[in-house]
């Protein structure tokens, strides 16, 4: 059994999970509500495009311990640790040092709880492609993240967390992360240059993330944490229109899942996907095509978001798992 499962639930029903001591995280979407007293509750300030009010639920296999360490909210259950942290920004050109501090606090909390291996990080901040102090904010973020990972000795190119870096319209830097007691396997995409080897045209510090992390939780139980995946082949963005970018993204996802499945007795099965679509694009045709690719029952959550390269219109991340027996 994996130490937790992830699924989408209507917000109205989602609150019922708060009474379950196995709950690791309840993630809401949309305009930020006042900070919750419950460390398991958090919010991603992006508008959901399905017309519903979904929440993402991380349900553990056994009861969780929860708390707050130096502003880092956590829940852990002996195998897996979920963390989240929200820092205000004092100035738009100080994102780089703020990111370093945020990562240091995240790593310190994970270590203090006994889960030193950060497998997966989600990064959200505003004005992601805007210049501030002569550097695009996404590029400044990459500089700050790398500095923290280097200090943690986690920047080694074989143990980088899987990640997403997404633009919001709400101010502040929000980090969400999954950590474990033992490491996962880093998976790179054969169709793409590893992000940590991107040439310097994309910024002074190449982005420190892996394309996916394959985690063996024991026996036949595996999770594949899939980083934000976009229409990038080699290191270059491809195609100008949404559906062509989506097709390339789906090829990238298939290649990545196939690469990870080579380490497995049986192919990994997609569990769910989170889809980020740039504002003012109609997500309906994309939803239909993704459902045709992965089957009509694949859970999809669509969010309106800015992506870290101006020309990218869609980005997909998700979870795959070993087939349930
Ligand atoms: C790309 O392939 C698209 O900097 O953490 C995707 C996932 C992207 C994570 C990150 C960036 C990040 O380069 C951008």
């Amino acid at each position: 059994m994996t130490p937790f499962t992830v699924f989408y639930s209507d917000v109205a029903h989602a609150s019922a999970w708060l009474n379950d001591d196995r709950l690791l995280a309840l993630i809401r979407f949309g305009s930020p509500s006042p900070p919750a007293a419950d460390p398991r509750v958090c919010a991603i300030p992006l508008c959901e495009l399905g017309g519903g009010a979904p929440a993402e639920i991380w349900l553990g296999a056994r009861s969780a311990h929860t708390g707050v360490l130096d502003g880092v909210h956590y829940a852990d259950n002996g195998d897996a640790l979920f963390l989240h942290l929200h820092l205000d920004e004092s100035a738009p050109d100080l994102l780089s040092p703020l990111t370093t501090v945020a990562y240091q606090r995240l790593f310190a909390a994970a270590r203090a709880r006994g889960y030193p291996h950060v497998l997966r990080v989600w990064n959200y901040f505003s004005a992601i492609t805007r210049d501030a102090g002569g550097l695009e904010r996404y590029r400044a973020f990459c500089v700050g993240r790398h500095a923290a990972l280097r200090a943690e000795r986690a920047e080694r190119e074989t143990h980088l967390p899987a990640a997403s870096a997404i633009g919001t319209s709400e101010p502040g830097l929000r980090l969400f992360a999954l950590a474990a007691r033992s490491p996962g396997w880093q998976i790179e995409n054969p169709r793409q240059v590893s992000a940590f080897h991107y040439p310097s045209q994309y910024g002074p510090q190449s982005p420190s993330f892996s394309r996916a992390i394959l985690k063996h939780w024991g026996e036949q139980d595996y999770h594949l944490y899939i980083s934000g995946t976009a229409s990038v082949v080699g290191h270059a963005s491809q195609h100008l229109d949404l559906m062509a970018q989506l097709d390339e993204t789906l090829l990238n996802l298939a290649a990545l899942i196939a690469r990870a499945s080579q380490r497995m007795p049986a192919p990994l099965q997609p569990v769910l996907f989170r889809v980020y679509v740039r504002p003012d694009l109609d997500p309906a045709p994309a939803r239909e095509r993704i459902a045709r690719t992965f089957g009509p029952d694949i859970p999809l959550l669509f969010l309106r978001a800015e992506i870290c390269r101006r020309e990218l219109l869609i980005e997909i991340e998700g979870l795959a798992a070993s087939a349930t027996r």
Side-chain angles (χ1 to χ4, degrees), residues 170-249:
E170 295 294 329
L173 172 65
R174 291 173 172 82
L175 302 187
F176 303 78
L178 168 68
R181 296 198 186 277
S182 57
W185 289 313
Q186 180 169 328
I187 308 292
E188 292 299 311
N189 193 321
R191 304 183 82 236
Q192 299 181 304
V193 172
S194 294
F196 48 86
H197 287 156
Y198 281 173
S200 58
Q201 74 197 75
Y202 299 103
Q205 175 57 58
S206 59
S208 312
F209 69 96
S210 63
R211 298 297 182 185
I213 290 285
L214 179 63
K215 177 62 183 166
H216 181 209
W217 287 112
E219 297 182 32
Q220 317 248 18
D221 301 317
Y222 294 81
H223 272 167
L224 181 70
Y225 305 105
I226 302 170
S227 291
T229 303
S231 179
V232 172
V233 178
H235 54 71
S237 307
Q238 310 287 321
H239 315 294
L240 297 175
D241 78 280
L242 175 64
M243 296 307 278
Q245 286 200 5
L246 172 59
D247 286 341
E248 202 72 58
T249 301

Side-chain angles (χ1 to χ4, degrees), residues 5 13 33 37 43 45 55 59 62 81 84-85 90 113 136 140 160 186 202 228 230-231 242 277 284 301:
T5 56
H13 300 115
S33 30
L59 184 63
R62 44 198 167 110
L81 166 71
H84 62 103
L85 162 72
S90 58
R113 292 302 301 161
E136 185 192 67
L160 290 168
Q186 180 169 328
Y202 299 103
S231 179
L242 175 64
V277 184
L301 182 82

